[in-house]
Amino acid sequence: MANQEILIEAKALVKRYGDFTAVNGIDFQVRKGESFGFLGPNGAGKSTTMRIIAATLTRTSGDISILGKDPEKFGPEIKAHLGVVPQTDNLDNALTVEENLYIYGRYFGLSKRFIKPKIEELLDFAQLVEKRDVKVEALSGGMKRRLTIARALVSEPEILMLDEPTTGLDPQARHILWDRLFRLKEQGVTLLITTHYMDEAEQLCDRLMVMDKGSIMAEDSPAGLIKNYSTKEVLEVRFGSDRNAVIAPQLKEMCDRIEVLPDRILMYADDGEALLHELGQKGLHPLTSLVRRSSLEDVFLRLTGRTLID
Amino acid sequence: MAPRIGSLLLVDTERIKRRGAFAVVEVRVMTYMKYLPALLSVAIANPFLYLLAVGVGVGKLINTHSGGVDGVKYLTFLAPALLATAAIQNAMDEVVFPTLEGFKWNKNFFAMNATPISAKQIVNGVLIAAMSRVLFSVTVYGAIVYLFGGFTTARGWLSIPTSLAAGASFGAFIMGIAAWAKNDDTFFMVVGRFVMMPLFLFSGTFYQLSTMPIYLRWIGWLSPLWHTTELGRFLTYGHHISAMMFVFHIGYLALMFTAGIIFSHRQFARRLAK
């Protein structure tokens, strides 16, 4: 991956709205074929960064180049090679599923001869073959989302940008979407994803940039982030909401780090079972306990002191 | 699945820069086709009922008592103004609703903005499509006026191009307003009641502007409807206007159209960048 061509490069990128700084001097690079994720809670600056990359929002300062071009000077030239899936679907409700795919191809100046077989391929990809003549407003949320993604692929973009692709979808619909995105990645499409779901970030992204309040907190592969910012395992214990805080100081001495959440205490250690055994030996018997592997949620908690979904 | 070609080879940005507005025209026409029966019935029923009531009913009264207006029968006098009014009304419908829909209800302008289509091309495309519907409606209107005997000579048909000028200049301007308006529900009720209606009533539509008291004539002077109607009457039956006024009417409409387009381009670009 390191030798791959750089498609997106940002240096000291800033976006301000009046006194509010949405993006606060961030630097990053995205290489060809990579699946790059922006992870962070709502308001972290992910969508703003995405819109600057998509050439639909101007930056306040700093530099950014997409496919070697400045989006403020070469908007249409950059947009020609992006497939954009916005956070809220903006399909044309007056048109059918098939017509939505067709007209989007026309916005990219594609010929009817090219678009026609492409529609068949995309209907199949989005599992919407039977819905081709249905008006968009009659589709379920999952179907609309798949259609929005299929629509973004009509021009075979170099970079596919997905802003919170699975928010609001049921678990089955999410898994179908992940599968579709994984296939695109296999075809060499560069993916840019924002999400506040850690499982989605782990599933889809080669590399992640953890953002909070407009700044980058860390950047690495999902496994690398967990390795650097958390322990191998986590022991979750509950002593009852009023006793958690009282017992916490005792627990702190037994492991690398603890986090006291309103309903439970997270104890970070490389061997969770051994730690649980040690608790028992000291006469500390939690009401419930769970040993699990560290996740990106733990990384985020460590970096920001907050959970991803507040 | 066909092998991937990739946008670098597929998408021709230079071509989109030249022809992108026509993709917007295409989506508008696709949308019209969904409402074709409704569009057709409105285009026919509206002028038919209007001409029956005002042209024939009121016309008979005027023709009998004062031998017509401006030296011609009332319907001939009225026709250029009615066509221009229909053009303005149609242009307003076809730029205001797609604009509100595109920015607020459906947000499909934001979908277009994510493609190489520019804000200017969206404006131009919506306006070209709107004008194609205006052309259709005023042609039907013209045909019905002809059937009612309103065109005494073939020159009567010249009221079609003049009404197009009214639709284009007004449409270009009101599209920018629609993009600018935040509270669209009440705003367009106000525009309808307090702008459109006075323009229609005080622009020399039913009688010559010169018969109005001087302190009300300014409404007509500002209105593209009056300028178009004067041009239409001059061209269709030889209503007297000076050479200077002829140039002034054309200049006013051209200026309003140009300013409207520039205003709309700016408003669209501003709203899409938010």
Side-chain angles (χ1 to χ4, degrees), chain B residues 144-209:
Chain B
I144 294 172
V145 169
Y146 174 76
L147 290 177
F148 275 86
F151 294 158
T152 43
T153 68
R155 280 169 65 188
W157 295 98
L158 289 173
S159 50
I160 290 178
T162 56
S163 62
L164 287 179
S169 54
F170 191 79
F173 194 71
I174 203 79
M175 179 153 41
I177 305 261
W180 170 80
K182 293 284 168 297
N183 190 354
D184 44 51
D185 311 334
T186 48
F187 185 79
F188 282 96
M189 205 178 71
V190 171
V191 168
R193 302 273 196 290
F194 299 103
V195 180
M196 294 295 285
M197 206 60 183
L199 284 190
F200 181 54
L201 294 175
F202 296 99
S203 295
T205 316
F206 299 103
Y207 40 82
Q208 298 204 63
L209 194 65

Side-chain angles (χ1 to χ4, degrees), chain B residues 88-109:
Chain B
I88 286 177
Q89 189 60 54
N90 266 277
M92 169 131 172
D93 288 350
E94 289 307 338
V95 300
V96 168
F97 291 109
T99 302
L100 298 182
E101 192 172 69
F103 282 121
K104 200 167 174 185
W105 306 335
N106 214 345
K107 298 196 184 295
N108 47 349
F109 285 170

Side-chain angles (χ1 to χ4, degrees), chain A residues 51 56-57 77 79-81 90-94 99 102-104 106-108 114 121 155-158, chain B residues 1 4-8 10-11 16-17 23 26-27 34 106-108 111-113 115-116 272-274:
Chain A
R51 285 196 58 202
T56 55
L57 191 68
E77 286 83 354
K79 289 172 179 179
H81 306 298
N90 52 18
L91 296 158
D92 197 323
N93 286 328
E99 287 168 337
Y102 168 80
I103 199 63
Y104 211 70
R106 300 294 281 167
Y107 296 155
F108 283 88
F114 173 81
E121 190 185 311
S155 56
E156 302 193 355
E158 291 302 303
Chain B
M1 195 186 277
R4 183 182 149 81
I5 303 166
S7 61
L8 291 173
L10 274 175
V11 183
I16 300 168
K17 280 185 179 168
E26 198 175 351
V27 71
K34 306 269 171 192
N106 214 345
K107 298 196 184 295
N108 47 349
M112 291 180 195
N113 190 45
T115 74
L272 286 169
K274 271 193 177 163

